[in-house]
Amino acid sequence: MAESQSATLSHTEVQSVEFQDTDTQTHVSSSKLSNEPIKLDIEHAVVEDDPRIWSNAKKNVVLFIISGASMIAGLCANIQNPANAQIEQQLHTSSGDISLSLSLFILIQGNFPVIWSAISEIKGRKTVYLFSVALFTLGSAIVAVSRTIGLVIGMRILQGAGSSAVIAIGAATLADMYEPHQRGTMMGVFYSAPLLGPSLGPIIGGALTQGLGWRAVFWFLVIWGSIIFSAFLFLFKDTFRKERSTTYQNVLNRRLQEQQPSEAKDESRKISEKELQANDENLNKTSLKDIEGQPTVIPASAIREVKLSIADVNPFPPYLSIISRKNNFAILIASGLIFAFSFSIAYTCARTLSMYYNYDALKTGLVLLAYGIGCVAGSILGGRWSDRTLARLKAANGGISFPEMRLESTKVAMVWLPLSVIGYAWVCQERVNVAAMCVMLFLAGFSSIWIYTSTLAYIVDANTGRSSTAVATNSSFRGLSAFVAAEIAVPLQDSIGDGGLYTLWAGLMVITECIILMVLYKGRKWREASAEREKQKLGGK
């Protein structure tokens, strides 16, 4: 596991790098220079062409590409809504089939990243990006020429699978490039793109449907997918490094043991010592005294000798290892509830505006833009505040930090989220002026995503060496939660109204905040206990 996979290097090799183990992240200042060996975690294993020392311009290109790609996921979920009436009429289908095309899309989009994540930990990020975007583009093209609702549903599922990769692996790409103290800000910038989807989707979909027909919606997605595919193919440089992947190292260890069963336990240590001794001859910087008796990161020489394939990928053990930790499971539930709320409010708001305000698709999209702008503002500002809070608490703690410190930043928004949700509930229920609805939508989006950005950064920070698996697991929880929200939102809205529905949601947001506070105060203890159990289990093999 990441907690027990390490190497020992002298300080002169890593002066400019921020170090962290399972529990701490420590900057080594120039005032503390010494020749004493420094133990690095797997995330800071020495690699060629380290993405963390790339120039800011190079990192920004990667950030721009994955942000543009992530917008696909947000757009695709909502862009069909204005076209549903035309699809139902022209394909001679029912509203139930239309709902199925939407809910299955969300379910697949949420859960398929578990598979993409596992593949990316073997084959790298770029391969998965290219293949997934190609699938999305192909699915969009087939939907655009479909003559039956069955084919539309099938290809919407393919779209969901293809559009899902970048959300999970995009966060892992950021973890590849940025140190923990920078991730909150970068996660906020990255996640602002898909958050615009629920708002821009109805506007774009409504304009295209009214002007050119429903098929134009999906041809638009084909064009967007082709642009993103070209950007990944020609401009994107892979950030994945095999030496820094817990999943890859575990699979590689297993393969080495299978090939040499009689010397399984000694082989990786011998390879490691040989590699490190070679470095010592060239650099005279490496110490081996802490290598004996503990698992080590398999070096580049072994990685070159043993080639892994997709057949070596089993996504379920990494998935189970994430949710088996109490701190992860708790924060994943909170994250899923926030996302389900976001999906529900965008879905039901469009229905309310159509039924009671007589708004068409374009006007509805413009109202929902208030929610999207609130989400983007909350994502960017919340991410920056999360990083500042982490830096402040770290300085107050003698330069030592741990992932749970990041959750302290969520307290600022915790008062406003339930209040804004209740405000939205009764503004809708009383059918007041739509301007009041826009204000409540903005506040609800701002405060919910402020909290969500910190929880997402925490999920990455708390799972060193397996960030893509952690974010994919988060996506799975989100997808399941949104699927349930999509299925129950309309019946509840019809039976108890917007007032009752979003008063319930306000109560769920209070529960969500309590879960986050529980992780803030108890998560470190849970995480340390889980890491110790995993270490003992690994040592017993």
Side-chain angles (χ1 to χ4, degrees):
M1 304 305 295
E3 289 76 9
S4 60
Q5 292 175 326
S6 57
T8 305
L9 303 175
S10 67
H11 176 74
T12 53
E13 289 181 274
V14 287
Q15 293 178 26
S16 63
V17 182
E18 180 189 53
F19 306 105
Q20 64 173 24
D21 58 18
T22 303
D23 309 309
T24 62
Q25 302 159 349
T26 307
H27 287 289
V28 182
S29 65
S30 57
S31 64
K32 297 181 181 179
L33 292 175
S34 70
N35 293 322
E36 183 181 352
I38 297 172
K39 187 177 178 182
L40 302 185
D41 65 37
I42 190 172
E43 272 201 0
H44 294 91
V46 177
V47 296
E48 294 181 4
D49 191 21
D50 191 344
R52 297 192 181 176
I53 60 175
W54 285 355
S55 67
N56 287 333
K58 195 172 183 179
K59 290 180 179 180
N60 288 339
V61 169
V62 174
L63 178 61
F64 181 77
I65 293 172
I66 62 173
S67 295
S70 68
M71 188 176 287
I72 288 175
L75 273 175
C76 207
N78 292 275
I79 200 170
Q80 179 187 325
N81 288 339
N84 285 338
Q86 272 195 23
I87 296 174
E88 186 175 344
Q89 180 183 14
Q90 293 184 17
L91 297 186
H92 309 291
T93 186
S94 66
S95 59
D97 288 333
I98 297 296
S99 296
L100 190 62
S101 72
L102 295 171
S103 58
L104 285 177
F105 174 89
I106 290 295
L107 184 64
I108 295 299
Q109 189 186 65
N111 287 278
F112 214 83
V114 175
I115 297 174
W116 290 131
S117 171
I119 297 173
S120 79
E121 296 291 344
I122 298 296
K123 292 299 182 181
R125 317 292 190 215
K126 184 170 183 175
T127 299
V128 174
Y129 284 139
L130 289 172
F131 190 67
S132 63
V133 173
L135 277 183
F136 166 79
T137 306
L138 176 63
S140 300
I142 297 176
V143 172
V145 299
S146 294
R147 300 296 176 184
T148 64
I149 189 61
L151 188 58
V152 169
I153 293 173
M155 290 304 101
R156 285 288 282 171
I157 290 174
L158 189 64
Q159 276 186 315
S163 65
S164 66
V166 71
I167 295 296
I169 304 174
T173 297
L174 296 183
D176 294 339
M177 294 192 300
Y178 296 103
E179 295 290 348
H181 71 282
Q182 301 170 306
R183 288 177 189 163
T185 299
M186 295 306 161
M187 289 289 181
V189 174
F190 162 68
Y191 202 68
S192 65
L195 290 172
L196 276 175
S199 301
L200 294 180
I203 297 174
I204 296 172
L208 289 172
T209 300
Q210 290 178 15
L212 300 171
W214 70 269
R215 297 182 190 277
V217 170
F218 295 97
W219 285 122
F220 168 81
L221 294 177
V222 171
I223 294 170
W224 187 254
S226 300
I227 293 171
I228 296 301
F229 181 87
S230 300
F232 276 125
L233 183 62
F234 297 111
L235 301 177
F236 180 82
K237 187 170 184 180
D238 205 339
T239 61
F240 176 69
R241 298 295 180 265
K242 298 171 182 178
E243 297 90 342
R244 291 180 174 177
S245 167
T246 300
T247 301
Y248 191 96
Q249 294 290 321
N250 289 341
V251 173
L252 187 58
N253 266 307
R254 188 175 69 247
R255 284 286 299 277
L256 289 172
Q257 290 172 4
E258 290 171 355
Q259 290 182 10
Q260 300 172 328
S262 62
E263 301 176 348
K265 291 187 178 180
D266 296 330
E267 188 61 27
S268 66
R269 185 183 300 120
K270 291 178 180 178
I271 296 172
S272 299
E273 290 178 2
K274 184 177 179 181
E275 182 86 354
L276 292 170
Q277 286 169 357
N279 290 341
D280 187 55
E281 292 175 3
N282 294 329
L283 303 174
N284 194 28
K285 294 175 180 178
T286 303
S287 171
L288 287 171
K289 69 179 184 179
D290 291 335
I291 294 293
E292 294 296 330
Q294 66 181 20
T296 61
V297 175
I298 305 298
S301 61
I303 292 175
R304 288 191 293 268
E305 291 172 7
V306 181
K307 299 297 182 183
L308 303 184
S309 68
I310 294 177
D312 293 297
V313 173
N314 182 353
F316 297 107
Y319 178 91
L320 294 175
S321 72
I322 296 294
I323 64 174
S324 65
R325 290 188 171 193
K326 289 169 68 175
N327 65 301
N328 286 340
F329 187 72
I331 209 71
L332 288 169
I333 290 175
S335 174
L337 286 172
I338 292 174
F339 185 79
F341 162 74
S342 299
F343 187 84
S344 177
I345 197 170
Y347 185 37
T348 58
C349 181
R351 196 163 178 263
T352 297
L353 291 169
S354 175
M355 290 190 305
Y356 301 110
Y357 290 82
N358 296 317
Y359 275 27
D360 59 22
L362 194 56
K363 288 183 178 179
T364 298
L366 291 172
V367 172
L368 286 173
L369 191 59
Y371 182 74
I373 293 172
C375 287
V376 171
S379 181
I380 295 174
L381 297 177
R384 289 182 178 274
W385 184 257
S386 178
D387 282 346
R388 289 188 177 186
T389 301
L390 181 63
R392 175 174 56 81
L393 294 176
K394 180 177 179 178
N397 197 39
I400 298 174
S401 68
F402 46 90
E404 286 72 23
M405 285 181 174
R406 185 177 292 283
L407 298 177
E408 183 76 23
S409 64
T410 62
K411 289 181 178 179
V412 176
M414 283 186 174
V415 174
W416 300 105
L417 177 56
L419 293 178
S420 62
V421 176
I422 290 176
Y424 172 79
W426 295 100
V427 161
C428 289
Q429 186 70 28
E430 298 300 323
R431 318 295 180 221
V432 302
N433 189 282
V434 75
M437 186 187 297
C438 289
V439 172
M440 293 298 109
L441 283 170
F442 176 87
L443 292 175
F446 183 87
S447 53
S448 63
I449 301 303
W450 180 291
I451 294 172
Y452 182 82
T453 300
S454 290
T455 63
L456 182 62
Y458 170 77
I459 289 168
V460 173
D461 290 352
N463 292 277
T464 305
R466 45 187 178 181
S467 54
S468 67
T469 301
V471 179
T473 307
N474 177 63
S475 180
S476 176
F477 273 66
R478 290 187 347 168
L480 289 170
S481 301
F483 177 79
V484 173
E487 293 298 314
I488 66 173
V490 171
L492 285 175
Q493 188 182 32
D494 289 340
S495 60
I496 60 178
D498 285 313
L501 174 59
Y502 285 97
T503 299
L504 286 176
W505 268 117
L508 286 174
M509 290 300 97
V510 171
I511 293 173
T512 298
E513 293 171 351
C514 290
I515 293 173
I516 294 171
L517 290 174
M518 185 169 60
V519 176
L520 171 62
Y521 294 115
K522 294 187 176 182
R524 185 182 184 185
K525 180 179 179 181
W526 292 344
R527 185 166 45 78
E528 288 174 344
S530 297
E532 184 62 29
R533 284 196 302 269
E534 291 169 3
K535 185 176 181 181
Q536 291 175 358
K537 184 178 179 180
L538 186 66
K541 290 185 178 180

